[in-house]
Amino acid sequence: LHFWNAYFLSLPVALLFAGVAHYCNKKYGERFFDKEEPFMAALGILLTGYPAFLFYLPLVLILPAIASAIVMKRGERLPLYHFWVPTAIAVLIVVQFWVKDQTWWSSFRF
């Protein structure tokens, strides 16, 4: 049961994020996401697990903003489509090889 603790909390958050993102995207004429992006985001939230998704969500919003400021012309939009899964993989790698051994990380775990 201890193995599943991280996913018991990340599953409702992933479903909530996918539902809200899908609803807002449909309401505003698919302005925010491509059709499958909310589900890719939910998959990233679910796979990273409980403490890691607290770092995953801000990171997945900051990295594209920086890339957009550097690469894109003014007025163009950089889709998040190519950032959801690679950012989740990067967060998982950082958590597994560096963060899980830190003392502050254990305060997030239950």
Side-chain angles (χ1 to χ4, degrees), residues 61-78:
L61 297 175
I62 291 170
L63 288 178
I66 293 170
S68 178
I70 294 171
V71 177
M72 303 300 287
K73 296 177 186 174
R74 186 172 176 91
E76 290 183 1
R77 185 175 85 89
L78 180 67

PDB file of all heavy atoms in Angstrom, residues 61-78:
ATOM      1  N   LEU A  61       5.066  24.942 -17.053  1.00  0.00           N
ATOM      2  CA  LEU A  61       4.563  26.243 -17.485  1.00  0.00           C
ATOM      3  C   LEU A  61       5.686  27.278 -17.644  1.00  0.00           C
ATOM      4  O   LEU A  61       5.579  28.185 -18.458  1.00  0.00           O
ATOM      5  CB  LEU A  61       3.509  26.748 -16.503  1.00  0.00           C
ATOM      6  CG  LEU A  61       2.256  25.876 -16.414  1.00  0.00           C
ATOM      7  CD1 LEU A  61       1.344  26.394 -15.330  1.00  0.00           C
ATOM      8  CD2 LEU A  61       1.544  25.802 -17.750  1.00  0.00           C
ATOM      9  N   ILE A  62       6.758  27.136 -16.880  1.00  0.00           N
ATOM     10  CA  ILE A  62       7.873  28.086 -16.958  1.00  0.00           C
ATOM     11  C   ILE A  62       8.783  27.795 -18.148  1.00  0.00           C
ATOM     12  O   ILE A  62       9.197  28.720 -18.857  1.00  0.00           O
ATOM     13  CB  ILE A  62       8.674  28.069 -15.642  1.00  0.00           C
ATOM     14  CG1 ILE A  62       7.822  28.675 -14.531  1.00  0.00           C
ATOM     15  CG2 ILE A  62       9.985  28.821 -15.777  1.00  0.00           C
ATOM     16  CD1 ILE A  62       8.407  28.500 -13.153  1.00  0.00           C
ATOM     17  N   LEU A  63       9.112  26.530 -18.391  1.00  0.00           N
ATOM     18  CA  LEU A  63      10.016  26.177 -19.494  1.00  0.00           C
ATOM     19  C   LEU A  63       9.506  26.628 -20.867  1.00  0.00           C
ATOM     20  O   LEU A  63      10.264  27.223 -21.633  1.00  0.00           O
ATOM     21  CB  LEU A  63      10.302  24.682 -19.502  1.00  0.00           C
ATOM     22  CG  LEU A  63      11.207  24.158 -18.393  1.00  0.00           C
ATOM     23  CD1 LEU A  63      11.356  22.655 -18.498  1.00  0.00           C
ATOM     24  CD2 LEU A  63      12.557  24.828 -18.448  1.00  0.00           C
ATOM     25  N   PRO A  64       8.241  26.385 -21.200  1.00  0.00           N
ATOM     26  CA  PRO A  64       7.763  26.883 -22.497  1.00  0.00           C
ATOM     27  C   PRO A  64       7.721  28.403 -22.579  1.00  0.00           C
ATOM     28  O   PRO A  64       7.908  28.965 -23.653  1.00  0.00           O
ATOM     29  CB  PRO A  64       6.354  26.301 -22.630  1.00  0.00           C
ATOM     30  CG  PRO A  64       6.342  25.147 -21.723  1.00  0.00           C
ATOM     31  CD  PRO A  64       7.265  25.479 -20.609  1.00  0.00           C
ATOM     32  N   ALA A  65       7.488  29.073 -21.467  1.00  0.00           N
ATOM     33  CA  ALA A  65       7.489  30.537 -21.482  1.00  0.00           C
ATOM     34  C   ALA A  65       8.880  31.064 -21.802  1.00  0.00           C
ATOM     35  O   ALA A  65       9.038  32.011 -22.586  1.00  0.00           O
ATOM     36  CB  ALA A  65       7.003  31.082 -20.149  1.00  0.00           C
ATOM     37  N   ILE A  66       9.892  30.439 -21.238  1.00  0.00           N
ATOM     38  CA  ILE A  66      11.272  30.838 -21.524  1.00  0.00           C
ATOM     39  C   ILE A  66      11.617  30.514 -22.975  1.00  0.00           C
ATOM     40  O   ILE A  66      12.211  31.334 -23.682  1.00  0.00           O
ATOM     41  CB  ILE A  66      12.245  30.141 -20.549  1.00  0.00           C
ATOM     42  CG1 ILE A  66      12.022  30.670 -19.124  1.00  0.00           C
ATOM     43  CG2 ILE A  66      13.689  30.337 -20.974  1.00  0.00           C
ATOM     44  CD1 ILE A  66      12.751  29.879 -18.064  1.00  0.00           C
ATOM     45  N   ALA A  67      11.257  29.315 -23.421  1.00  0.00           N
ATOM     46  CA  ALA A  67      11.534  28.933 -24.811  1.00  0.00           C
ATOM     47  C   ALA A  67      10.785  29.835 -25.783  1.00  0.00           C
ATOM     48  O   ALA A  67      11.320  30.200 -26.836  1.00  0.00           O
ATOM     49  CB  ALA A  67      11.147  27.475 -25.037  1.00  0.00           C
ATOM     50  N   SER A  68       9.581  30.221 -25.448  1.00  0.00           N
ATOM     51  CA  SER A  68       8.796  31.098 -26.301  1.00  0.00           C
ATOM     52  C   SER A  68       9.421  32.485 -26.384  1.00  0.00           C
ATOM     53  O   SER A  68       9.444  33.106 -27.447  1.00  0.00           O
ATOM     54  CB  SER A  68       7.370  31.204 -25.779  1.00  0.00           C
ATOM     55  OG  SER A  68       6.623  32.080 -26.569  1.00  0.00           O
ATOM     56  N   ALA A  69       9.936  32.965 -25.265  1.00  0.00           N
ATOM     57  CA  ALA A  69      10.575  34.286 -25.255  1.00  0.00           C
ATOM     58  C   ALA A  69      11.860  34.288 -26.055  1.00  0.00           C
ATOM     59  O   ALA A  69      12.212  35.302 -26.670  1.00  0.00           O
ATOM     60  CB  ALA A  69      10.852  34.714 -23.817  1.00  0.00           C
ATOM     61  N   ILE A  70      12.563  33.173 -26.091  1.00  0.00           N
ATOM     62  CA  ILE A  70      13.839  33.111 -26.795  1.00  0.00           C
ATOM     63  C   ILE A  70      13.651  32.805 -28.275  1.00  0.00           C
ATOM     64  O   ILE A  70      14.280  33.444 -29.127  1.00  0.00           O
ATOM     65  CB  ILE A  70      14.760  32.052 -26.140  1.00  0.00           C
ATOM     66  CG1 ILE A  70      15.131  32.505 -24.728  1.00  0.00           C
ATOM     67  CG2 ILE A  70      15.998  31.810 -26.971  1.00  0.00           C
ATOM     68  CD1 ILE A  70      15.859  31.449 -23.931  1.00  0.00           C
ATOM     69  N   VAL A  71      12.809  31.861 -28.613  1.00  0.00           N
ATOM     70  CA  VAL A  71      12.740  31.330 -29.970  1.00  0.00           C
ATOM     71  C   VAL A  71      11.642  31.952 -30.829  1.00  0.00           C
ATOM     72  O   VAL A  71      11.867  32.243 -31.993  1.00  0.00           O
ATOM     73  CB  VAL A  71      12.557  29.788 -29.913  1.00  0.00           C
ATOM     74  CG1 VAL A  71      12.398  29.207 -31.293  1.00  0.00           C
ATOM     75  CG2 VAL A  71      13.712  29.143 -29.189  1.00  0.00           C
ATOM     76  N   MET A  72      10.466  32.164 -30.260  1.00  0.00           N
ATOM     77  CA  MET A  72       9.309  32.562 -31.063  1.00  0.00           C
ATOM     78  C   MET A  72       9.292  34.066 -31.350  1.00  0.00           C
ATOM     79  O   MET A  72       9.793  34.857 -30.556  1.00  0.00           O
ATOM     80  CB  MET A  72       8.009  32.173 -30.343  1.00  0.00           C
ATOM     81  CG  MET A  72       7.906  30.702 -30.016  1.00  0.00           C
ATOM     82  SD  MET A  72       7.964  29.633 -31.436  1.00  0.00           S
ATOM     83  CE  MET A  72       6.386  29.925 -32.125  1.00  0.00           C
ATOM     84  N   LYS A  73       8.694  34.415 -32.477  1.00  0.00           N
ATOM     85  CA  LYS A  73       8.512  35.818 -32.816  1.00  0.00           C
ATOM     86  C   LYS A  73       7.350  36.371 -32.013  1.00  0.00           C
ATOM     87  O   LYS A  73       6.487  35.642 -31.541  1.00  0.00           O
ATOM     88  CB  LYS A  73       8.220  35.965 -34.313  1.00  0.00           C
ATOM     89  CG  LYS A  73       9.361  35.536 -35.185  1.00  0.00           C
ATOM     90  CD  LYS A  73       8.975  35.651 -36.639  1.00  0.00           C
ATOM     91  CE  LYS A  73      10.066  35.078 -37.518  1.00  0.00           C
ATOM     92  NZ  LYS A  73       9.671  35.049 -38.912  1.00  0.00           N
ATOM     93  N   ARG A  74       7.294  37.675 -31.905  1.00  0.00           N
ATOM     94  CA  ARG A  74       6.227  38.325 -31.140  1.00  0.00           C
ATOM     95  C   ARG A  74       4.867  38.043 -31.791  1.00  0.00           C
ATOM     96  O   ARG A  74       4.700  38.191 -32.990  1.00  0.00           O
ATOM     97  CB  ARG A  74       6.473  39.818 -31.078  1.00  0.00           C
ATOM     98  CG  ARG A  74       5.507  40.552 -30.208  1.00  0.00           C
ATOM     99  CD  ARG A  74       5.950  41.992 -30.041  1.00  0.00           C
ATOM    100  NE  ARG A  74       4.990  42.740 -29.287  1.00  0.00           N
ATOM    101  CZ  ARG A  74       5.006  42.892 -27.980  1.00  0.00           C
ATOM    102  NH1 ARG A  74       5.959  42.301 -27.294  1.00  0.00           N
ATOM    103  NH2 ARG A  74       4.096  43.602 -27.359  1.00  0.00           N
ATOM    104  N   GLY A  75       3.915  37.613 -30.979  1.00  0.00           N
ATOM    105  CA  GLY A  75       2.578  37.307 -31.459  1.00  0.00           C
ATOM    106  C   GLY A  75       2.358  35.843 -31.785  1.00  0.00           C
ATOM    107  O   GLY A  75       1.216  35.420 -31.946  1.00  0.00           O
ATOM    108  N   GLU A  76       3.415  35.049 -31.905  1.00  0.00           N
ATOM    109  CA  GLU A  76       3.265  33.621 -32.161  1.00  0.00           C
ATOM    110  C   GLU A  76       3.127  32.883 -30.842  1.00  0.00           C
ATOM    111  O   GLU A  76       3.587  33.330 -29.808  1.00  0.00           O
ATOM    112  CB  GLU A  76       4.475  33.080 -32.926  1.00  0.00           C
ATOM    113  CG  GLU A  76       4.557  33.571 -34.343  1.00  0.00           C
ATOM    114  CD  GLU A  76       5.730  32.960 -35.086  1.00  0.00           C
ATOM    115  OE1 GLU A  76       6.468  32.147 -34.490  1.00  0.00           O
ATOM    116  OE2 GLU A  76       5.920  33.304 -36.249  1.00  0.00           O
ATOM    117  N   ARG A  77       2.501  31.718 -30.909  1.00  0.00           N
ATOM    118  CA  ARG A  77       2.270  30.914 -29.710  1.00  0.00           C
ATOM    119  C   ARG A  77       3.017  29.597 -29.827  1.00  0.00           C
ATOM    120  O   ARG A  77       2.935  28.907 -30.839  1.00  0.00           O
ATOM    121  CB  ARG A  77       0.772  30.653 -29.560  1.00  0.00           C
ATOM    122  CG  ARG A  77       0.407  29.931 -28.295  1.00  0.00           C
ATOM    123  CD  ARG A  77      -1.094  29.816 -28.142  1.00  0.00           C
ATOM    124  NE  ARG A  77      -1.651  28.680 -28.839  1.00  0.00           N
ATOM    125  CZ  ARG A  77      -1.789  27.470 -28.309  1.00  0.00           C
ATOM    126  NH1 ARG A  77      -1.367  27.233 -27.100  1.00  0.00           N
ATOM    127  NH2 ARG A  77      -2.332  26.497 -29.000  1.00  0.00           N
ATOM    128  N   LEU A  78       3.742  29.263 -28.802  1.00  0.00           N
ATOM    129  CA  LEU A  78       4.451  27.987 -28.734  1.00  0.00           C
ATOM    130  C   LEU A  78       3.550  26.976 -28.030  1.00  0.00           C
ATOM    131  O   LEU A  78       3.203  27.153 -26.865  1.00  0.00           O
ATOM    132  CB  LEU A  78       5.756  28.135 -27.952  1.00  0.00           C
ATOM    133  CG  LEU A  78       6.615  26.895 -27.800  1.00  0.00           C
ATOM    134  CD1 LEU A  78       7.170  26.468 -29.151  1.00  0.00           C
ATOM    135  CD2 LEU A  78       7.746  27.149 -26.841  1.00  0.00           C
TER     136      LEU A  78
END
